[in-house]
Amino acid sequence: MATISKAKANVGQSGRIRFDPDPEKSGTLPGHYFIDPAIYQREIEEIFFKTWQFVGWSHDVKEPGSYFTADLLDQKILVTRGKDNKLRAFYNVCMHRGHILAEGKGSKAVFTCPFHAWSYDATGALKAAGNAENVEGFRLEDFSLAEIQVEEFGRMVFVNLDPKARSLHDQAGGLEKEFQTIIPRFNDLKLVHVDVMPIKCNWKFVFDQMECYHCPIIHPQIMGKDDSYLEFSFDITAHEIWSQHFVAGNKDNIEKHKDKLPYEFKVKGEDVLADAYIWWLWPNLLWVAHHGKTNWKLMHVLPTGPETCVQTVYYFFMTDPPEKGERELMDYFTNVLQRQDITTMEKQQIGVHARGYRMGRLMVDKERSWRSEHGTHHFDKLIWEVLNGPNY
Amino acid sequence: MVAKSAASAAAPARPRFGFHPDPELSATMPSTYYFDPAIFEREKETIFYKTWQFVGYAWDVREPGSFITADIIDQKVFVIRGKDGRLRAFYNVCMHRGHTLLEGKGQKGVITCPFHAWSYDATGALKAAGNAENVAGFRHADFSLTEVKVEELGLLVFVNLSNDARSLSETCGGIVDEFKKIIPRYDRLYNARRDPYPIKANWKFVLDGMECYHCPIIHPQIMGSGGDTYLVPAWDVVEREFWSTHYTKADPKAIARNKDKLPYDFDLNDEVKDSAIWWIWPNMLFVAHRGPSNLKVFHIVPTGPETCIQYIDNLIADDPPSAKNLSNMNYYRDILQPQDITAMEQQQLGAHARGYRQGRLMVDKERSWRSEHGTHHFQRLVWESLHGPNYDAA
């Protein structure tokens, strides 16, 4: 368990490489970063409890009094809109004995704890506590719910457990604008389906996949053949804590080989996307907009242990229930593309235990070609700096 | 979990004794050794990653390019025969991003990672990495696969993850001569069936079974019950540094007398006359049981501090298996194994008792058939792997 780093004495020839702030010189993250329970604990503290974390949807908290609850790893969260129309978030626990306060989602004027009936309003103020009048020196205002930073961002609700965290809009406002400008009728899309996918790998392997070096090998149907529907492309525009990855459609092939497309779609006409976009937001969110009729999906990854995680995929389309091509797209994404990726992630998880492997090389080229792994380095570098500071 | 040693203050009063290098004076291993997760972690480091571990059969890696894959607990390895005829073993992971390279067994000229298609040859050299020409300072030579030691021992292939390990044939080569002496058609053996037994017991309890003190009680059909059993009480142990032979002689008169009561189909004319059990440190047992040429290969793999899986490969020389072969194999599967496994799993439950710390190994001076010195041999090597020659460590 804690013996892992020591156990790597028997490393292979790659022993001289190391993680480097320059992507062109860098190794991958060391193998034990994907196994070691001590590193996992530090990631929870330093990453998940200090970054902006997706917890739910704006459409669930539109009206005053509406609320939803969420789990951020072992932390219970309550988000509710007050009579003053302000959205607030709190730890979802009663300040008396720590009982969970609210469940699921809905609408409440008063949050009453099911244990001893302490009651709070949507500003977190304790309004009533039975027998308080007989308890010496008891002041209701000493027991307000503990408030957390919350922001609405592109139809989503984010919280940040770190009271000193910079605003998400300050850090990633451009990302919210891209959803609006790139995805036709973004605000009209409807959430039509949710897939929950448990994966037997460390959560970081999901984001290490942000490169297209593996595409022709793991996803042979998408690029590299005469009739492929994608160009060899993976253009990354990186910002401080987010990035856009652009994958160009091969318009000729999409027209010419309609019968070979993995799902039914058109790239001409109104409200369609001719190319595909992937966005990443540090640390644990990806969004994908696929070719065809306007669509958007969120992939939310949460660790469940040092060597396991769960990915939840939220599908948005114009119509609910979805049309034939949209059903095919969901099936293709979950059962073909995701399965291809998850198989490799789970094999890496098994592989990094090997005492003959310490770390590999990130294959980053000067021109940042479609197969360069600089997207992976961006993510890995932020991980490295959280755990080790600027010490390489 | 680990709190037991402290808790054992409540153990019943008894003369002070402990594990001892002299089998005649020694207690058993302390019971915490069978469930403490910290000890299990140390066993991985000091035993499984440092000893010769069985990974497969030589017949699967005879041709150039043929390979087998195996797991040593969580360590993936593969063994491949090069064009030069040399057998090599490597960690089965790509040196780029740690993806598993090969699956199962088969034949490959080039080993290509399924993730980004890095390709290696059978000497472990990286031959191709896509886009390498555009990556600054990239040298293929820096990313050869990590080699590990491999040796063939007769029909078996072993690897050792420690670079300092002594040669297996040097320490255990004699076992192959014994196999050949006892099993007339040794060279024609093949694996007719693999029987897996998941066991709810620490892996050491399986090896602790190397004594015959329990035989008349746990296996009443084989010896001791009033003259109608087929074995004379016998259990001759010959110990070497890292392996041993345990020989039980048949009783021809008893076999003739009890023809109808034999637990499986064999007779006095069969190729294997008596029964031999061999052990190779730490986790391999072999049995040649009276009957047609046969060798049962027992491979015991821990799956946690309190669980293990025992694989029994039934190597026989008749293809297809004869009725006698099957009777021999099934007797093991259906009678002997359940008898032993029940006892091991009960020990596992019992070891947790806060009123039990350790027992006494029942070793006698004359090393009789029921003396537990075989168990001591195994436990002493476990002890020394964990503590060196310090016997006050518990």
Side-chain angles (χ1 to χ4, degrees), chain B residues 19 28-29 34 204 207-212 235 239 246 361 363 371-381:
Chain B
F19 195 79
T28 62
M29 297 222 114
Y34 296 86
K204 297 190 292 301
L207 284 309
D208 279 353
M210 281 191 284
E211 39 80 11
C212 217
W235 183 259
E239 287 182 19
H246 308 232
L361 280 175
V363 177
S371 172
E372 298 184 303
H373 49 291
T375 304
H376 183 268
H377 186 187
F378 167 69
Q379 293 193 351
R380 183 172 56 77
L381 293 183

Side-chain angles (χ1 to χ4, degrees), chain B residues 283-327:
Chain B
N283 60 332
M284 295 301 291
L285 290 168
F286 306 89
V287 180
H289 217 60
R290 53 189 61 69
S293 280
N294 72 91
L295 181 67
K296 294 174 179 53
V297 178
F298 291 50
H299 181 206
I300 297 113
V301 180
T303 49
E306 303 203 52
T307 53
C308 65
I309 185 157
Q310 176 177 21
Y311 295 101
I312 298 187
D313 288 343
N314 293 278
L315 274 51
I316 57 174
D318 302 310
D319 190 8
S322 65
K324 265 191 167 173
N325 287 140
L326 290 170
S327 171

Side-chain angles (χ1 to χ4, degrees), chain A residues 54 56-59 152-158 174-195 242-244 263 271-273 275-281 285-300 312-319 322 326 329-330 333:
Chain A
F54 167 79
W57 300 100
S58 285
H59 58 242
E152 287 179 87
F153 182 92
R155 303 189 56 179
M156 294 160 283
V157 178
F158 285 76
L175 172 61
E176 191 184 36
K177 284 198 193 82
E178 289 202 359
F179 292 149
Q180 296 287 355
T181 54
I182 290 177
I183 297 167
R185 301 181 65 188
F186 176 71
N187 294 321
D188 298 330
L189 291 169
K190 297 177 180 69
L191 174 60
V192 303
H193 185 71
V194 181
D195 266 336
W242 65 281
S243 56
Q244 186 216 84
Y263 62 98
D271 298 341
V272 298
L273 287 154
D275 304 295
Y277 296 81
I278 301 169
W279 290 274
W280 163 66
L281 175 65
L285 290 171
L286 291 167
W287 293 267
V288 183
H290 265 95
H291 312 80
K293 194 167 164 187
T294 184
N295 70 91
W296 183 63
K297 65 182 74 63
L298 163 65
M299 297 157 72
H300 178 216
T312 308
V313 185
Y314 299 85
Y315 288 93
F316 284 77
F317 294 113
M318 284 303 288
T319 47
E326 296 168 340
L329 170 58
M330 289 194 283
F333 191 70

Side-chain angles (χ1 to χ4, degrees), chain A residues 47-67:
Chain A
I47 299 175
F48 288 91
F49 294 167
K50 288 196 174 154
T51 55
W52 286 96
Q53 290 291 319
F54 167 79
V55 286
W57 300 100
S58 285
H59 58 242
D60 285 328
V61 281
K62 281 225 185 315
E63 303 305 320
S66 58
Y67 76 95

